[in-house]
Amino acid sequence: MQNTFTSKESFKNAFTLKTSNLFNKEVNQTTVYERYVVLATLLNETLNENYNKTNQYVKENHLKKTIYFSMEFLMGRLITSNLMNAGYASVVKEAFDDFGFNLNEVELAETDAGLGNGGLGRLAACFLDSAASLGLPFYGNSIRYQKGFFVQKIENNKQVEYPDPWLDKEFIWEEKREDESIDIPYFGELNGIQLVNPTWVKAVPYNVKVVGANNNVVTHLRLWSTEPSKKQLVQDEKYLKMVSKISESLYPDDSTDEGKILRLQQQYLFSSAGIQDAIREHKALGRDLKDLPKYYTFQINDTHPTLIIPELMRILIDEEYMGYDEAWSIVTQVAAYTNHTILAEALEKWNIELFKRLLPRIYQIVEEMDRRFRLFLKGKNLSQDKINHMALIGSHDVRMAHICIYGSFSVNGVAALHTNILKEIELNDFYQIYPEKFNNKTNGVTHRRWLMHINPELVNILDKTVKGNWRKDLSAIKELENFKDDESIQKEIKNMKLAKKRQLIDVIYKDTGVKLDENAIFDIQIKRLHEYKRQSLNIFHVIYLYLRLKKDANFRKTFHPQNFIFGAKAAPSYVMAKYIIEIINRTAQIINNDPETKDLLKVVFVQNYNVTYAEYLFPAADLSEQISTASKEASGTGNMKFMLNGAITIGTMDGANVEIVDYAGIENEIIFGLSAEEVTQAYKANSYNPRKIFDNDKRIQDVFEFIKSLDKDEHYFDFVFNNLLNVDYFFVLADFDAYVEAQSRANKLYQDEKTWWRMSIMNIANAGFFSSDRTIKQYNEEIWHLDTIKL
Ligand code: 26Q
């Protein structure tokens, strides 16, 4: 078959023609961005054929689909992974070499699609890649936010947020499907069960192609945008503004009722549109609604899409005239829920009045679900207290997680420890009633992006050492273990790190003006800023180190230079998180400019940490900071990306760190701190006294004095001190001593090269389990049961 990308020559011809058509220019007159547009357009057009074939195959064979409902899809740039997965990377590279163009530079011209803010959103993106690569009919469903997650700048040591108008430049991978729009009702009044006078908003879908690796499969992510609906007769300014707000931005400020309504509108938008879309397709293919569970699983990614449960009930009862019991039986066979959160205060709740006002009929259905659930619990002889505690509706709030557990056939955690905590502690009441629903699916990351794309240097080493097809099945990477003591391979790994450090040094220099030392240990903590993730502990240790290096000449002699790199966005209204960012940046200013220590210690806070930045950071790391308060990090996925690129984890026994230790061996990680059990115990016994630790530790006192001295007002950071001294809910002071010891171990280990690079190799070799291909296979075998697309 002849297509654009079959040979270098055909590609060059097509490229020349497309350049002329789009820009009326000669190839060598184009800007880098125009080259990007031409390349992406050609690729997108070429993918159409396989996209249509995939759709046709799924349709003709009536394959079951999984629809992955997620508020976030943190896709990053798509050009490189699409080229790579389609198998066209080398043809394009050769052609670009002929043109004298830099392919890498052209790839960088794409804007980073930041439709998410953290782990949950990036996991969704990894799942799309893995599922398509395994040939599974798996489709994403979310919102086409006009603005991505905010762009962060550091100004005057503080985080400042700017909008991310990512759609201002054309997004080449999407295709609008106007004809498949769906009208969504909000507000209105009830007449019995009938909703009258609702405000209608049109949900318009855009499909973003998702390319499987070397299997000709092309699926999609469906993103819903909002437009005025024809059903809405009065379209005043207020209405038009409301319509555009719904798909404007991710996690709008919800400190006001208006903001809260907007968030719930968003949740209903993609939940309702996604469900109606599936039902429309199901019926168009001539299938019986009773058979919905044979053809679909709706995976609920955290509680944001909970409304698919009552929404499906509404459609089955009101529009398809089913009885409640029959409808409920269908719902509880199609819905499956993934929990990503342990923090009880993060479990989503909605005020009853607000919920009722925006979604009257849906609320009525939830009330009926609640009534029946309470009866059911009563039948299990539970106390009224317990029933109230577990109910779907509390005295003020609708509890989204409870609806999910009640309405789903599967409830999964995202790492072994996390699932155990859900079963034994957080959701134990539900586990007692529904033990069969609970299961674990340890997260993973796509090795196509997080190894093959970002670390060609390591790929070269693997191709020399590993005979198995690790690209297809990452578990084959285990063979690298045979080389753990091979000095020449150790040296190659060390050189790979050096190359990646040099690339990162350039990026960071351009970004922050700080020049890092390539011989230093690269110690990196990159993740959302949250108290439980304890960036505070990290910076406190850095300050301790700095003070010690300044006064202890012997220590200076034994210390290997270390670069501490932070990347993190704080939620705009999260006061404590913003103080911590400021402490890190102010500390960096002082340390980086102190002639006494500047060859030993550097601190940088990179601006606007996102997927693109991550692609430089992960491969350059020696030390992966995973220092959350044990029991709080559901899984972590950054820890896996670091491991796969040869970094050693300095971390607590939390989330997937526990499994990283299981696979790589505890001797190959640097583990410290309180265990999850100890933390849980301390909460129960109310036995923790941070002030006592402070009073007995001169090091912590000195660190606090240093922070006080950062501002001329010594009370400037009192908010932070008061919290840590009186509450310290996340045990920062409790783990300080153990962390200092762990850091000292790390610094010494790094100087023992044979041991260090052996540890590094052991991490890479044992990262096979953490491919999201493995995760998706487990979801499929145990929850979805999808057949593969064979093209
Ligand atoms: C809650 C209430 C109201 C509004 C928003 C939210 C909200 C928003 C985002 C709650 C949670 C999130 C995001 C959570 C998240 O990213 N969790 C991470 O998921 C990863 C993938 O499973 C895990 O690896 C991380 O451990 C977990 O923190």
Side-chain angles (χ1 to χ4, degrees), residues 72 119-120 251 263 304 340 346 348 414 443 532 633-637:
E72 306 185 19
L120 161 158
Y251 303 129
R263 272 207 197 179
H304 318 129
H340 299 262
E348 220 184 346
V414 290
N443 285 164
Y532 83 79
E633 189 68 272
S635 163
T637 45

Side-chain angles (χ1 to χ4, degrees), residues 71-72 117-124 251 254 263 267 301-304 338-342 345-350 414 418 443 528 532-533 632-640 655-656:
M71 199 83 197
E72 306 185 19
N117 84 105
L120 161 158
R122 184 53 232 177
L123 183 75
Y251 303 129
D254 68 347
R263 272 207 197 179
Q267 297 191 356
N301 197 30
D302 223 276
T303 53
H304 318 129
T338 305
N339 173 291
H340 299 262
T341 320
I342 304 174
E345 66 271 22
L347 287 181
E348 220 184 346
K349 294 185 178 76
W350 290 101
V414 290
H418 170 56
N443 285 164
R528 288 302 305 280
Y532 83 79
K533 296 180 186 280
K632 299 299 179 198
E633 189 68 272
S635 163
T637 45
N639 47 2
M640 302 168 186

Side-chain angles (χ1 to χ4, degrees), residues 583-598:
I583 291 174
I584 296 170
N585 279 293
R586 287 188 169 213
T587 300
Q589 293 282 339
I590 292 183
I591 294 182
N592 297 342
N593 294 308
D594 188 331
E596 253 188 320
T597 56
K598 78 175 182 18

